[in-house]
Amino acid sequence: NGDWLISRQRFFGVPIPVWYPLDAAGEPDYEHPILPGDGMLPVDPAAEAAPGYDESQRGEPGGFMGDADVLDTWATSSLTPQIVGRWSRDEEFFGKVFPFDLRPQGHDIIRTWLFSSVVRADALQGCAPWKHAAISGWILDPDRKKMSKSKGNVVVPTDVLEQFGSDAVRYWAASAKLGADTAYEVAQMKVGRRLAIKLLNATKFVLNLGATEASVISGDAAAVTNALDLSLLGQLADVVEQSTAAFENYDYARALQISESFFWSFTDNYVELVKDRAYGAAGEAEQASVLATLATTLDALLRLFAPFLPFATEEVWSWWRAGSVHRAPWPTAEALAGIAAAADKDLLGTVGVALGGIRKAKSEAKVKQRTEVLSAVVTAPAAQIAQLRAGEGDLKAAGNARVLTFEESEGELTVKSVELAAAEA
């Protein structure tokens, strides 16, 4: 039992450079292998004929067959960067890609695979084989034990892919931070599926309003005139900047968290607040401001979510844009810099809290959300009162409120004294 298995039946790997002659019955003679000369190496016996034979004799009686296994040792695994880079086979290509930018791998083989690869590259090329190594953790079962085939506690990937979809499973995987073990969680996949579906529905809403590619702001933000719209775009600029910084630090889980948090605020607060203006109730100028904001935000969100929800974003992108979202440039905060500088980024959050207070009052009264608010009082610090006045039109429309009274206070924003119209029969 002291011997280590050196061969395995896998697709990827270094082919064992050996052939075997076939007898008159077509059976291999393993006792007399055919070996290549040094000048033939590297060689793939599955693609090249054995010395002294023609390719037409492969598998034929009196002919030859190539060894079907690949080597499976650290000596060969340590050559992974060279193999991927086509070393000794395409030197021009190798010169372009080596050393690589990133090596992803598990923490359990740092002292073996990573160490042996670095030593091999240092000996052969005189440098490290990559600039960065991304070390992932293990997947844990519900009992917080490492999933492995030997323990029999693994999950067949095709089952969850069919049940929740590829985007949902990818969302769960992307939620795991580098270097940390993560639990196999179906609940997290359900969240990912819900996010993908919400992205589809939000896009349908925006496009049905008449937003097009031409609505996306490209330097000239003159169409955006409403303070609430400017607030959202100011937040979007921060999200793009923070998400980009997270990706540059290989913290993709943080990038997802930042984009997702903004997305839910966008759909739950902003979209609900601006529906009245979006349908033209406040005039063409206000409608144009909403459409430009919606299209610009959607455009950036699709790019931000593309690494995490590749299929949903590609589908949505095809509804209103040419080409692939995965070939589109990454969004930049510079494109929104002018807006971000002039925007009150906290305004949307303040108005959203007020809307939440109105909704809560209706829920507690057990009436429908479309029930009219005859009057209500909103108390808040002076700075927030100014924000509420700037977004008053949208707040009234979204809350179906006839009269809102704003009163300054030192405490947190509160909605009180809500008088509701008679409940519908």
Side-chain angles (χ1 to χ4, degrees):
N1 292 330
D3 292 337
W4 181 265
L5 180 68
I6 67 165
S7 65
R8 193 173 298 191
Q9 295 75 41
R10 294 196 302 192
F11 182 80
F12 294 105
V14 177
I16 295 178
V18 175
W19 298 266
Y20 305 100
L22 302 181
D23 60 22
E27 295 296 325
D29 180 3
Y30 293 112
E31 298 300 322
H32 298 88
I34 305 170
L35 304 179
D38 289 349
M40 292 185 64
L41 296 176
V43 64
D44 182 358
E48 300 175 52
Y53 291 85
D54 184 80
E55 183 61 33
S56 63
Q57 295 176 279
R58 183 185 297 274
E60 298 293 330
F64 72 96
M65 62 169 281
D67 197 303
D69 287 1
V70 296
L71 292 166
D72 184 34
T73 67
W74 293 120
T76 51
S77 293
S78 65
L79 283 170
T80 305
Q82 288 83 355
I83 294 170
V84 173
R86 304 177 191 171
W87 175 58
S88 79
R89 293 178 292 131
D90 187 339
E91 291 301 332
E92 182 181 358
F93 180 84
F94 185 71
K96 293 178 179 178
V97 301
F98 191 94
F100 292 90
D101 289 324
L102 179 68
R103 159 72 158 260
Q105 67 165 70
H107 56 61
D108 53 328
I109 49 176
I110 294 175
R111 66 167 180 81
T112 43
W113 193 31
L114 186 150
F115 175 75
S116 60
S117 299
V118 170
V119 170
R120 178 62 70 90
D122 181 66
L124 294 175
Q125 280 81 34
C127 66
W130 54 75
K131 299 174 184 176
H132 305 279
I135 310 299
S136 62
W138 287 328
I139 304 301
L140 307 178
D141 68 11
D143 295 327
R144 314 301 293 185
K145 295 180 181 179
K146 175 190 174 184
M147 279 191 171
S148 66
K149 291 183 289 184
S150 60
K151 292 183 179 180
N153 59 349
V154 297
V155 176
V156 179
T158 52
D159 293 344
V160 293
L161 290 172
E162 292 176 0
Q163 184 177 3
F164 300 109
S166 300
D167 280 353
V169 177
R170 186 179 179 92
Y171 168 88
W172 159 74
S175 300
K177 295 183 178 180
L178 284 178
D181 296 340
T182 187
Y184 174 79
E185 291 188 36
V186 170
Q188 190 77 350
M189 296 179 194
K190 291 180 179 178
V191 173
R193 180 174 176 81
R194 176 170 169 257
L195 175 62
I197 292 174
K198 187 69 174 181
L199 184 62
L200 294 171
N201 291 335
T203 304
K204 289 179 182 177
F205 170 75
V206 173
L207 299 184
N208 285 338
L209 289 172
T212 66
E213 182 176 356
S215 305
V216 178
I217 298 171
S218 58
D220 182 11
V224 182
T225 57
N226 188 281
L228 196 71
D229 302 338
L230 291 170
S231 180
L232 179 76
L233 293 176
Q235 291 182 12
L236 176 63
D238 286 347
V239 167
V240 170
E241 184 176 6
Q242 294 169 19
S243 180
T244 302
F247 262 122
E248 289 175 345
N249 290 324
Y250 296 102
D251 192 355
Y252 51 80
R254 174 64 177 157
L256 172 58
Q257 179 187 13
I258 293 169
S259 299
E260 183 181 6
S261 178
F262 173 78
F263 174 75
W264 288 116
S265 174
F266 166 66
T267 56
D268 294 346
N269 289 327
Y270 178 79
V271 170
E272 292 302 317
L273 281 164
V274 302
K275 280 184 177 178
D276 203 52
R277 275 197 297 131
Y279 287 117
E284 291 184 2
E286 288 289 346
Q287 185 181 36
S289 182
V290 173
L291 289 181
T293 304
L294 287 170
T296 302
T297 304
L298 179 63
D299 172 80
L301 279 171
L302 291 179
R303 301 168 196 247
L304 291 171
F305 277 136
F308 309 107
L309 307 172
F311 293 98
T313 52
E314 182 76 348
E315 172 64 20
V316 166
W317 188 265
S318 71
W319 293 351
W320 66 309
R321 307 296 288 273
S324 169
V325 67
H326 303 297
R327 290 184 175 272
W330 186 252
T332 62
E334 287 74 15
L336 299 168
I339 292 177
D344 181 350
K345 300 173 186 177
D346 296 328
L347 187 152
L348 175 58
T350 298
V351 179
V353 171
L355 178 60
I358 294 173
R359 288 172 172 171
K360 182 180 178 181
K362 293 181 181 181
S363 297
E364 291 176 346
K366 298 181 179 180
V367 299
K368 297 178 179 178
Q369 287 298 322
R370 65 171 177 265
T371 300
E372 184 180 17
V373 175
L374 300 179
S375 65
V377 176
V378 184
T379 62
Q384 290 188 319
I385 292 296
Q387 293 172 333
L388 290 170
R389 293 192 187 283
E392 183 175 0
D394 288 328
L395 180 58
K396 282 183 175 180
N400 194 16
R402 185 182 300 179
V403 177
L404 292 178
T405 302
F406 302 117
E407 297 180 356
E408 291 187 20
S409 70
E410 298 300 323
E412 295 181 351
L413 189 156
T414 304
V415 178
K416 62 182 184 179
S417 304
V418 179
E419 181 184 356
L420 299 171
E424 297 179 4

